[in-house]
Amino acid sequence: CMNVKKIIYPSLGMAGAEGYKCFACAPHSGQGLHMEFYEDGDEVVCYWSPATHFQGWTDTLHGGIQATLIDETAGWVIARKMQTSGMTTNLNIKYKRPIPTGEHVRLEIRARICEMKRMFALMQASITVDGEVCTAAELTFYCFSQEKAKEEFHFLPYKVEGE
């Protein structure tokens, strides 16, 4: 799609980025997931291939890694769409079918806000492989005020390429 744009993590390339070691999204986190995110309309999407060392059962992506993929993607929705930081307060996952591992497998992880109730974002997320939903989730995120996010968590605006 032409409207899909890469989301830029604001502090990468700035002083202090060296210490940024998020297991899910930091590009230099050793054995991390190295997730990258794109804005697609109201959704944030990540395309990711599961290396075999992320398996649980033989050739099957570990459920905890699936939960991390969903949770992180939802967090980037809050960062980009609400321009603040937040925290997961509830994550309800339905594992519908196994996800294979291997560099040839391409996952599409999507998340979006369905409704806001005060400072709580009610969200939906999914992992699809070859167009089939393998994992579906409902999440609730508590969104910090932009002032608190900036002062206490050093939040900087998340932009997309070209902004």
Side-chain angles (χ1 to χ4, degrees):
C1 287
M2 297 299 290
N3 63 339
V4 176
K5 294 183 180 175
K6 186 172 183 180
I7 302 171
I8 307 301
Y9 183 76
S11 71
L12 290 180
M14 295 175 53
E18 182 73 21
Y20 181 67
K21 300 287 184 195
C22 176
F23 172 72
C25 70
H28 308 293
S29 64
Q31 291 299 310
L33 303 179
H34 307 133
M35 297 173 74
E36 293 183 342
F37 300 92
Y38 301 84
E39 184 176 61
D40 185 7
D42 290 340
E43 297 182 325
V44 167
V45 61
C46 171
Y47 303 102
W48 189 77
S49 292
T52 56
H53 66 269
F54 293 120
Q55 69 185 9
W57 189 251
T58 305
D59 299 324
T60 303
L61 184 60
H62 192 284
I65 298 296
Q66 293 180 50
T68 301
L69 293 167
I70 284 172
D71 187 55
E72 188 70 13
T73 303
W76 277 64
V77 171
I78 300 302
R80 173 62 185 158
K81 299 299 188 178
M82 304 300 292
Q83 289 296 320
T84 191
S85 55
M87 58 184 259
T88 311
T89 60
N90 187 39
L91 173 56
N92 183 9
I93 298 181
K94 290 189 168 104
Y95 299 98
K96 297 175 175 250
R97 23 181 88 75
I99 296 176
T101 55
E103 299 300 324
H104 64 285
V105 180
R106 186 171 190 241
L107 277 55
E108 183 176 296
I109 306 105
R110 288 186 174 268
R112 66 182 174 87
I113 298 170
C114 298
E115 183 180 351
M116 289 297 300
K117 289 189 176 180
R118 296 193 182 117
M119 297 300 282
F120 290 93
L122 308 179
M123 307 177 74
Q124 288 184 336
S126 65
I127 302 175
T128 59
V129 178
D130 295 329
E132 279 194 87
V133 176
C134 298
T135 309
E138 294 178 347
L139 304 91
T140 304
F141 258 75
Y142 177 78
C143 301
F144 297 111
S145 70
Q146 289 181 334
E147 296 77 23
K148 180 174 180 146
K150 186 177 179 182
E151 291 169 17
E152 294 185 30
F153 303 107
H154 313 289
F155 183 86
L156 296 168
Y158 281 49
K159 298 181 178 183
V160 293
E161 287 179 328
E163 268 187 352

